[in-house]
Amino acid sequence: IDVKISPNPARGAFSIHIANYNKDLRGVIFNVLGKKVGEMNLKPGINSVSSSDFSLGSGIYLIKFSGGGADIATKKLIIN
């Protein structure tokens, strides 16, 4: 599986690109203190996300991706 976030750093909206995986994924967003601040369902391909949907202010976040009962990847997201 290949997961990419762009642009990163982002200013308000960003895309999550999911390749080489044909099932839905779940993305859980955590702040740097480890507090869950949001979660989303993702489809294969390009998923557009707005940081305002999750009230994400400026900072660093981690998005943990899981599918099929297993953790698949964790990516860092920077919001300016």
Side-chain angles (χ1 to χ4, degrees):
I1 183 169
D2 187 21
V3 179
K4 293 180 182 170
I5 300 171
S6 66
N8 196 6
R11 289 205 180 272
F14 56 94
S15 295
I16 298 174
H17 305 260
I18 299 169
N20 303 321
Y21 195 75
N22 60 2
K23 298 178 185 171
D24 291 352
L25 289 179
R26 183 161 218 45
V28 181
I29 305 170
F30 296 92
N31 64 18
V32 291
L33 301 176
K35 179 182 175 190
K36 183 168 88 170
V37 294
E39 53 186 287
M40 60 196 134
N41 293 316
L42 303 164
K43 304 259 184 222
I46 299 173
N47 298 267
S48 296
V49 182
S50 173
S51 59
S52 62
D53 290 347
F54 301 101
S55 300
L56 300 179
S58 296
I60 299 173
Y61 299 89
L62 294 176
I63 304 178
K64 182 187 250 184
F65 299 94
S66 60
D71 291 340
I72 294 172
T74 301
K75 298 288 183 176
K76 181 168 62 172
L77 169 66
I78 300 170
I79 302 289
N80 284 335

